[in-house]
Amino acid sequence: MKFTMSVAMSPLDQLAELAKTAEECGFHSIALPDSLFYSEQVSAEYPYTPDGSRMWDAETPWVDPLVAAASMGAVTSQIRFYTSVMKLGPRNPVLLARQLASVCTLTGDRFGLGVGLGWAPEEFEWCGAPYAKRGARVDEMIEIIRRILDGGMTEYHGRFFDFDRLQISPAPGARMPIYIGGHTEPALKRAARVGDGWASAMMKLSELRETMDRLGELRAAYDRADEPFEIQAVCIDRFGLDGFREQAEAGITDAITVPWMFDGHGFDAPIEAKKDSIRKFAAEVIEQL
């Protein structure tokens, strides 16, 4: 099992030091969150908290995850980066493919794209994208991004997007993995059908087991059972060496963690406290597993 460190909601001036320390301590990847903006009023409930409220406010720091990956990639040499997860629905796939090709190139192909639909109607509407039929639109977007990043001339004539032959250079030197987030049945089907892995939000291990079983059924139905497939999990009820060992035995391939939270430090904790927690987690868990 690999270990990924999430830097969600951390002060932006800490990102470079967090990336360097995580790399030194054996983390495989850094997970980068995505939020386009904070709308004062929102017309849908946040799907990953019990009461539907957002876990952040208007002053919480966010940075574009692709800019963050390029920035942290410049001060590291091995650790990977992926979005967990980028809200794909409000974006334009051709413009996004241009950005993805750039960040893959600048990081030496150390980047993976974790995607979800997006849950807030305001993020769609205020960015010029329709909220309706967002699932079908995202399916086309994933196909477009794949085609463009494969390199060479490509064209697309679909239900929602239409363009003639174009090419973006340089294309990534290696295939960029795409991980699919979401807990609904359509999201799991999308992950099983076109994803290189599935990314969870906060879930108990029992819920993760059930979801992994369903993903196994779906991947078999799509004749993809023998292909490599990542399970990126935020497990909320198994911690410590024994807990992470249990996660690995359950089939989780990539544990997403926030090491300083195990020591009672918040998102805005001082950088030295966070670095100490990263080193402690590496010594007590990563090196032991």
Side-chain angles (χ1 to χ4, degrees):
M1 186 172 68
K2 299 183 289 287
F3 288 89
T4 290
M5 185 180 77
S6 171
V7 294
M9 296 181 274
S10 287
L12 305 189
D13 61 1
Q14 295 183 353
L15 296 185
E17 284 299 308
L18 291 175
K20 289 190 289 185
T21 306
E23 181 172 75
E24 293 165 2
C25 291
F27 279 83
H28 179 266
S29 304
I30 290 178
L32 302 165
D34 181 41
S35 180
L36 293 173
F37 52 76
Y38 186 92
S39 56
E40 188 171 33
Q41 300 293 325
V42 66
S43 55
E45 292 187 343
Y46 181 63
Y48 302 116
T49 56
D51 62 359
S53 63
R54 290 172 283 185
M55 299 180 294
W56 61 95
D57 60 29
E59 302 301 323
T60 301
W62 297 88
V63 66
D64 183 284
L66 305 187
V67 174
S71 175
M72 289 186 283
V75 297
T76 56
S77 60
Q78 293 181 321
I79 198 165
R80 297 184 59 84
F81 308 92
Y82 60 79
T83 52
S84 183
V85 294
M86 174 175 279
K87 299 172 183 180
L88 200 56
R91 290 174 160 90
N92 176 281
V94 178
L95 292 176
L96 180 57
R98 163 74 283 170
Q99 295 170 302
L100 292 168
S102 296
V103 76
C104 286
T105 300
L106 292 173
T107 60
D109 294 312
R110 289 185 283 141
F111 183 80
L113 179 66
V115 301
L117 300 185
W119 61 276
E122 288 78 9
E123 288 188 326
F124 287 76
E125 295 162 7
W126 298 351
C127 289
Y131 188 67
K133 299 182 175 64
R134 58 195 179 279
R137 289 181 70 255
V138 162
D139 286 338
E140 286 197 4
M141 294 175 75
I142 293 171
E143 185 178 357
I144 288 167
I145 289 167
R146 278 275 187 234
R147 288 192 186 188
I148 292 176
L149 294 191
D150 280 345
M153 283 286 175
T154 189
E155 60 186 297
Y156 192 85
H157 305 286
R159 178 182 175 190
F160 303 100
F161 301 97
D162 187 276
F163 56 85
D164 292 329
R165 286 168 59 79
L166 60 80
Q167 180 171 336
I168 289 176
S169 297
R175 185 177 185 272
M176 182 194 71
I178 295 180
Y179 313 115
I180 310 297
H183 298 176
T184 65
E185 182 71 5
L188 299 181
K189 287 182 176 179
R190 184 174 295 110
R193 187 176 68 252
V194 301
D196 296 298
W198 171 74
S200 84
M202 297 169 288
M203 299 178 75
K204 294 180 179 179
L205 186 58
S206 60
E207 297 168 328
L208 287 163
R209 290 182 191 273
E210 293 175 3
T211 303
M212 287 188 285
D213 287 343
R214 180 57 180 153
L215 283 166
E217 295 170 354
L218 291 168
R219 292 179 63 230
Y222 290 119
D223 198 25
R224 296 192 66 211
D226 295 331
E227 296 180 20
F229 193 81
E230 295 282 354
I231 301 293
Q232 300 167 340
V234 182
C235 182
I236 60 173
D237 65 348
R238 295 293 191 279
F239 308 114
L241 180 58
D242 289 340
F244 284 105
R245 182 175 286 119
E246 191 173 356
Q247 289 188 42
E249 291 169 350
I252 293 167
T253 65
D254 187 349
I256 302 176
T257 68
V258 185
W260 46 92
M261 296 192 73
F262 295 126
D263 295 327
H265 301 309
F267 296 114
D268 59 350
I271 184 63
E272 291 304 323
K274 289 184 177 180
K275 290 167 68 174
D276 287 344
S277 293
I278 294 170
R279 296 184 183 107
K280 177 182 176 183
F281 183 88
E284 295 181 352
V285 177
I286 296 178
E287 293 175 12
Q288 302 304 315
L289 285 179

